[in-house]
Short mmCIF file of all heavy atoms in Angstrom, two decimals:
data_model
loop_
_atom_site.label_atom_id
_atom_site.label_comp_id
_atom_site.label_asym_id
_atom_site.label_seq_id
_atom_site.Cartn_x
_atom_site.Cartn_y
_atom_site.Cartn_z
N TYR A 1 -6.37 64.50 21.52
CA TYR A 1 -5.33 65.43 21.94
C TYR A 1 -4.83 66.23 20.75
O TYR A 1 -5.09 65.89 19.60
CB TYR A 1 -4.17 64.67 22.60
CG TYR A 1 -4.60 63.90 23.82
CD1 TYR A 1 -5.00 62.56 23.72
CD2 TYR A 1 -4.63 64.50 25.07
CE1 TYR A 1 -5.41 61.85 24.84
CE2 TYR A 1 -5.04 63.80 26.20
CZ TYR A 1 -5.44 62.47 26.08
OH TYR A 1 -5.86 61.78 27.18
N GLY A 2 -4.12 67.31 21.02
CA GLY A 2 -3.62 68.15 19.95
C GLY A 2 -2.26 67.68 19.46
O GLY A 2 -1.45 67.14 20.22
N ALA A 3 -2.00 67.88 18.18
CA ALA A 3 -0.71 67.52 17.59
C ALA A 3 -0.52 68.32 16.32
O ALA A 3 -1.49 68.83 15.74
CB ALA A 3 -0.63 66.02 17.30
N GLU A 4 0.71 68.45 15.89
CA GLU A 4 1.01 69.17 14.66
C GLU A 4 2.25 68.58 14.03
O GLU A 4 3.00 67.82 14.68
CB GLU A 4 1.21 70.66 14.94
CG GLU A 4 2.31 70.95 15.95
CD GLU A 4 2.39 72.42 16.31
OE1 GLU A 4 1.40 73.14 16.07
OE2 GLU A 4 3.42 72.84 16.84
N LEU A 5 2.48 68.92 12.78
CA LEU A 5 3.66 68.43 12.08
C LEU A 5 4.92 69.04 12.69
O LEU A 5 4.87 70.11 13.30
CB LEU A 5 3.57 68.77 10.60
CG LEU A 5 2.50 68.00 9.81
CD1 LEU A 5 2.39 68.56 8.39
CD2 LEU A 5 2.82 66.51 9.77
N PRO A 6 6.05 68.37 12.53
CA PRO A 6 7.30 68.88 13.10
C PRO A 6 7.62 70.27 12.59
O PRO A 6 7.27 70.64 11.47
CB PRO A 6 8.35 67.87 12.63
CG PRO A 6 7.58 66.63 12.32
CD PRO A 6 6.25 67.09 11.83
N SER A 7 8.31 71.04 13.41
CA SER A 7 8.72 72.39 13.03
C SER A 7 9.74 72.33 11.91
O SER A 7 10.56 71.40 11.83
CB SER A 7 9.30 73.12 14.24
OG SER A 7 9.89 74.33 13.85
N ALA A 8 9.71 73.34 11.04
CA ALA A 8 10.67 73.41 9.95
C ALA A 8 12.01 73.95 10.41
O ALA A 8 12.98 73.96 9.66
CB ALA A 8 10.12 74.29 8.83
N VAL A 9 12.07 74.41 11.67
CA VAL A 9 13.32 74.95 12.21
C VAL A 9 14.29 73.81 12.45
O VAL A 9 13.96 72.82 13.12
CB VAL A 9 13.06 75.71 13.53
CG1 VAL A 9 14.37 76.24 14.10
CG2 VAL A 9 12.08 76.85 13.28
N ASP A 10 15.49 73.92 11.92
CA ASP A 10 16.47 72.85 12.04
C ASP A 10 17.27 72.92 13.32
O ASP A 10 17.75 71.92 13.82
CB ASP A 10 17.45 72.90 10.84
CG ASP A 10 16.75 72.58 9.53
OD1 ASP A 10 15.77 71.81 9.57
OD2 ASP A 10 17.17 73.11 8.48
N ASP A 11 17.43 74.11 13.86
CA ASP A 11 18.28 74.29 15.02
C ASP A 11 17.56 73.83 16.28
O ASP A 11 16.46 74.31 16.60
CB ASP A 11 18.68 75.76 15.16
CG ASP A 11 19.74 75.94 16.24
OD1 ASP A 11 20.93 75.78 15.93
OD2 ASP A 11 19.33 76.23 17.39
N VAL A 12 18.17 72.92 17.01
CA VAL A 12 17.57 72.36 18.22
C VAL A 12 17.39 73.45 19.27
O VAL A 12 16.39 73.49 19.99
CB VAL A 12 18.42 71.20 18.77
CG1 VAL A 12 17.85 70.69 20.08
CG2 VAL A 12 18.51 70.08 17.75
N VAL A 13 18.37 74.35 19.39
CA VAL A 13 18.28 75.42 20.38
C VAL A 13 17.07 76.30 20.11
O VAL A 13 16.34 76.69 21.02
CB VAL A 13 19.57 76.25 20.38
CG1 VAL A 13 19.47 77.41 21.38
CG2 VAL A 13 20.77 75.38 20.73
N GLU A 14 16.84 76.63 18.85
CA GLU A 14 15.68 77.45 18.49
C GLU A 14 14.38 76.72 18.78
O GLU A 14 13.39 77.32 19.21
CB GLU A 14 15.76 77.85 17.02
CG GLU A 14 16.90 78.80 16.70
CD GLU A 14 16.84 79.26 15.26
OE1 GLU A 14 15.75 79.22 14.67
OE2 GLU A 14 17.89 79.64 14.71
N GLN A 15 14.36 75.42 18.54
CA GLN A 15 13.16 74.64 18.84
C GLN A 15 12.84 74.69 20.33
O GLN A 15 11.69 74.91 20.73
CB GLN A 15 13.36 73.18 18.40
CG GLN A 15 13.53 72.99 16.91
CD GLN A 15 13.94 71.58 16.58
OE1 GLN A 15 13.75 70.68 17.38
NE2 GLN A 15 14.51 71.40 15.40
N LEU A 16 13.87 74.48 21.16
CA LEU A 16 13.65 74.50 22.60
C LEU A 16 13.28 75.90 23.08
O LEU A 16 12.48 76.05 24.01
CB LEU A 16 14.90 74.01 23.32
CG LEU A 16 15.25 72.53 23.12
CD1 LEU A 16 16.56 72.19 23.78
CD2 LEU A 16 14.14 71.63 23.65
N ALA A 17 13.84 76.93 22.46
CA ALA A 17 13.50 78.31 22.83
C ALA A 17 12.04 78.60 22.53
O ALA A 17 11.34 79.24 23.32
CB ALA A 17 14.41 79.29 22.10
N ALA A 18 11.57 78.15 21.37
CA ALA A 18 10.17 78.36 21.01
C ALA A 18 9.25 77.61 21.96
O ALA A 18 8.22 78.12 22.38
CB ALA A 18 9.93 77.89 19.57
N ARG A 19 9.64 76.39 22.33
CA ARG A 19 8.83 75.62 23.27
C ARG A 19 8.83 76.28 24.65
O ARG A 19 7.82 76.29 25.35
CB ARG A 19 9.37 74.19 23.36
CG ARG A 19 8.58 73.28 24.28
CD ARG A 19 9.08 71.85 24.20
NE ARG A 19 8.94 71.33 22.85
CZ ARG A 19 9.40 70.13 22.47
NH1 ARG A 19 10.02 69.36 23.34
NH2 ARG A 19 9.24 69.71 21.23
N ASP A 20 9.98 76.85 25.05
CA ASP A 20 10.06 77.52 26.33
C ASP A 20 9.15 78.75 26.37
O ASP A 20 8.52 79.04 27.39
CB ASP A 20 11.51 77.94 26.59
CG ASP A 20 11.70 78.50 27.99
OD1 ASP A 20 11.03 78.00 28.92
OD2 ASP A 20 12.49 79.44 28.16
N ALA A 21 9.06 79.47 25.25
CA ALA A 21 8.17 80.64 25.19
C ALA A 21 6.72 80.21 25.35
O ALA A 21 5.94 80.87 26.05
CB ALA A 21 8.37 81.37 23.87
N THR A 22 6.35 79.10 24.70
CA THR A 22 4.98 78.59 24.84
C THR A 22 4.69 78.18 26.27
O THR A 22 3.62 78.47 26.82
CB THR A 22 4.78 77.40 23.90
OG1 THR A 22 5.03 77.81 22.56
CG2 THR A 22 3.36 76.86 24.01
N THR A 23 5.66 77.50 26.91
CA THR A 23 5.48 77.06 28.29
C THR A 23 5.36 78.25 29.23
O THR A 23 4.59 78.22 30.19
CB THR A 23 6.66 76.16 28.71
OG1 THR A 23 6.78 75.07 27.79
CG2 THR A 23 6.44 75.61 30.10
N SER A 24 6.14 79.30 28.98
CA SER A 24 6.08 80.50 29.83
C SER A 24 4.70 81.15 29.74
O SER A 24 4.14 81.58 30.75
CB SER A 24 7.16 81.49 29.41
OG SER A 24 8.45 80.94 29.59
N HIS A 25 4.16 81.21 28.53
CA HIS A 25 2.83 81.78 28.36
C HIS A 25 1.79 80.93 29.09
O HIS A 25 0.87 81.46 29.75
CB HIS A 25 2.50 81.87 26.87
CG HIS A 25 1.11 82.36 26.59
ND1 HIS A 25 0.74 83.68 26.75
CD2 HIS A 25 -0.02 81.70 26.19
CE1 HIS A 25 -0.54 83.82 26.46
NE2 HIS A 25 -1.02 82.63 26.11
N GLU A 26 1.93 79.62 28.99
CA GLU A 26 0.99 78.72 29.67
C GLU A 26 1.09 78.88 31.18
O GLU A 26 0.07 78.90 31.89
CB GLU A 26 1.30 77.27 29.28
CG GLU A 26 0.43 76.25 29.98
CD GLU A 26 0.86 74.82 29.70
OE1 GLU A 26 1.88 74.64 28.99
OE2 GLU A 26 0.19 73.89 30.18
N TYR A 27 2.32 79.03 31.69
CA TYR A 27 2.52 79.20 33.13
C TYR A 27 1.85 80.47 33.63
O TYR A 27 1.17 80.46 34.67
CB TYR A 27 4.02 79.23 33.44
CG TYR A 27 4.33 79.68 34.85
CD1 TYR A 27 4.15 78.82 35.92
CD2 TYR A 27 4.78 80.97 35.10
CE1 TYR A 27 4.42 79.22 37.22
CE2 TYR A 27 5.05 81.39 36.39
CZ TYR A 27 4.88 80.52 37.45
OH TYR A 27 5.14 80.93 38.73
N GLU A 28 2.01 81.58 32.92
CA GLU A 28 1.41 82.84 33.33
C GLU A 28 -0.11 82.75 33.33
O GLU A 28 -0.78 83.27 34.24
CB GLU A 28 1.87 83.98 32.42
CG GLU A 28 3.35 84.32 32.57
CD GLU A 28 3.72 84.75 33.97
OE1 GLU A 28 2.86 85.36 34.64
OE2 GLU A 28 4.85 84.49 34.40
N ALA A 29 -0.67 82.09 32.31
CA ALA A 29 -2.13 81.94 32.24
C ALA A 29 -2.64 81.09 33.41
O ALA A 29 -3.65 81.42 34.04
CB ALA A 29 -2.53 81.31 30.91
N LEU A 30 -1.93 80.01 33.72
CA LEU A 30 -2.34 79.15 34.83
C LEU A 30 -2.21 79.88 36.16
O LEU A 30 -3.06 79.73 37.05
CB LEU A 30 -1.47 77.88 34.85
CG LEU A 30 -1.77 76.85 33.77
CD1 LEU A 30 -0.70 75.76 33.77
CD2 LEU A 30 -3.14 76.23 33.97
N ARG A 31 -1.16 80.68 36.31
CA ARG A 31 -0.95 81.42 37.56
C ARG A 31 -2.09 82.40 37.81
O ARG A 31 -2.62 82.49 38.93
CB ARG A 31 0.39 82.16 37.51
CG ARG A 31 0.78 82.81 38.83
CD ARG A 31 2.22 83.28 38.78
NE ARG A 31 2.36 84.40 37.86
CZ ARG A 31 2.25 85.68 38.22
NH1 ARG A 31 1.98 85.99 39.48
NH2 ARG A 31 2.39 86.65 37.34
N VAL A 32 -2.49 83.14 36.78
CA VAL A 32 -3.57 84.11 36.93
C VAL A 32 -4.87 83.39 37.29
O VAL A 32 -5.60 83.80 38.21
CB VAL A 32 -3.75 84.93 35.64
CG1 VAL A 32 -5.01 85.77 35.71
CG2 VAL A 32 -2.53 85.81 35.41
N ARG A 33 -5.17 82.30 36.59
CA ARG A 33 -6.41 81.59 36.86
C ARG A 33 -6.42 80.94 38.23
O ARG A 33 -7.45 80.92 38.92
CB ARG A 33 -6.63 80.53 35.78
CG ARG A 33 -6.90 81.13 34.41
CD ARG A 33 -7.07 80.07 33.35
NE ARG A 33 -7.31 80.67 32.04
CZ ARG A 33 -7.48 79.99 30.93
NH1 ARG A 33 -7.44 78.67 30.95
NH2 ARG A 33 -7.70 80.63 29.79
#
C-alpha cells in the first residue's frame, strides 16, 4: 500500500483541507469512470 511521511503543516484545519481536496479529486475521477 502507499504511505508517506507526515505533513509538515502544523495546522489541523489545513491538513484536513488538503485531504478534502485530494478526496474531491478522487471522487470526480471515480464518477467519470
Side-chain angles (χ1 to χ4, degrees):
Y1 300 92
E4 57 186 18
L5 290 173
S7 171
V9 179
D10 294 330
D11 189 85
V12 176
V13 178
E14 292 185 24
Q15 296 171 19
L16 293 175
R19 182 174 299 175
D20 187 36
T22 302
T23 304
S24 298
H25 177 73
E26 177 187 3
Y27 168 77
E28 292 300 328
L30 286 171
R31 187 169 69 91
V32 171
R33 293 179 181 179

